[in-house]
Amino acid sequence: MQALVKASILAVSLSAAALASAQSVRVEKNMSLELATQIASATVAACSTAGYNVAATVVDRAGGVRAVMRADNAGPHTLEASRLKAFTSASAKNNTLAIMEGAQKNPAAANLTDIPGYLLLGGGVPVKVGNEVIGAVGVGGAPGGHLDEQCAIAALDKVKDQLK
């Protein structure tokens, strides 16, 4: 009987150790430079087709810049705006247009603008594999954040087969 109790305790201990070990190391998907470049290029192209000169920045899941493209004649402010929108989207795992609208409707969320690096303007869209956010694309320069967002969504549609 005592041997059975010892074996049970040992089994529980090993199970707990295995569970703790499994939780301490994570495997996450992230985007390659090639994919980030394709998204940035497709975003600028989508906006150019619509007549907008924009910059597009693609960040990884941690908000680190992976690729940047700026159309000819895009204003200098578009670079930083696109980076901040991408960072905000990746950080919040949501479209920046939705975040902006939520902050406008909810006084308790109005202080989101005080978070360093956040830009609550439309044009930031998360890049997802299934439900997992692996980064984001930010666009600046179209005459409205909703138009920036449309270009980002069009670009992500072009690479959707790679996001599986």
Side-chain angles (χ1 to χ4, degrees):
M1 177 80 159
Q2 193 174 17
L4 181 60
V5 170
K6 285 183 182 179
S8 295
I9 291 172
L10 179 62
V12 169
S13 297
L14 290 175
S15 295
L19 181 60
S21 174
Q23 292 175 348
S24 63
V25 176
R26 296 187 55 198
V27 177
E28 299 174 326
K29 292 181 169 100
N30 217 329
M31 80 171 66
S32 67
L33 175 60
E34 180 182 345
L35 177 59
T37 302
Q38 288 176 16
I39 293 169
S41 179
T43 301
V44 171
C47 271
S48 292
T49 298
Y52 313 133
N53 298 313
V54 302
T57 300
V58 179
V59 298
D60 61 19
R61 67 183 307 118
V65 174
R66 294 294 288 155
V68 179
M69 293 200 136
R70 183 174 148 226
D72 295 336
N73 299 316
H77 68 286
T78 62
L79 288 169
E80 187 64 1
S82 69
R83 184 188 70 78
L84 292 172
K85 290 176 186 184
F87 175 83
T88 303
S89 180
S91 179
K93 297 177 174 40
N94 199 355
N95 291 23
T96 55
L97 187 59
I99 300 166
M100 178 190 78
E101 290 170 349
Q104 289 171 341
K105 293 175 185 172
N106 179 2
N111 62 354
L112 286 173
T113 59
D114 297 332
I115 297 173
Y118 262 44
L119 182 59
L120 299 188
L121 294 175
V125 178
V127 178
K128 295 180 179 183
V129 173
N131 290 326
E132 184 177 358
V133 174
I134 64 166
V137 56
V139 188
H146 64 292
L147 299 171
D148 288 330
E149 183 175 293
Q150 288 174 7
C151 295
I153 291 170
L156 292 175
D157 190 52
K158 287 193 180 258
V159 299
K160 67 183 173 192
D161 290 340
Q162 297 178 60
L163 299 172
K164 294 181 179 180

